[in-house]
Amino acid sequence: MSQLKVILSGGPRDLPEDDRKQLVARSTEKIKHRWGAGYEHFVHDGEFVTVDGEEYAVYQWERRTAIAE
């Protein structure tokens, strides 16, 4: 399966930069990233950026949900 480099944009300000760059399956439409006591949800709207000569898909923050107990 082909992989895609992504950047998570928006969401919590304290989300570390290291967590914002990820490698996901190319078919991934949404990313659910666990952070603190919940999940941050990100979606791709078609935007791409080049960082240090490498192309990244930009996934924008959509919402936060709590972890079910």
Side-chain angles (χ1 to χ4, degrees):
M1 182 180 292
S2 181
Q3 299 208 311
L4 179 67
K5 292 178 181 179
V6 304
I7 291 180
L8 305 180
S9 179
R13 289 184 179 178
D14 59 343
L15 185 63
E17 287 300 315
D18 289 347
D19 286 3
R20 291 189 179 273
K21 288 185 180 177
Q22 299 187 7
L23 193 60
V24 300
R26 194 166 282 282
S27 61
T28 302
E29 294 178 21
K30 295 183 178 184
I31 294 175
K32 183 170 126 177
H33 182 75
R34 185 173 180 169
W35 180 247
Y39 292 100
E40 305 301 330
H41 298 260
F42 297 84
V43 295
H44 187 235
D45 64 1
E47 180 183 358
F48 288 86
V49 296
T50 301
V51 178
D52 297 328
E54 297 185 275
E55 187 174 64
Y56 288 82
V58 178
Y59 278 66
Q60 295 290 335
W61 184 82
E62 181 181 46
R63 70 187 194 290
R64 176 177 178 79
T65 56
I67 294 174
E69 293 185 28

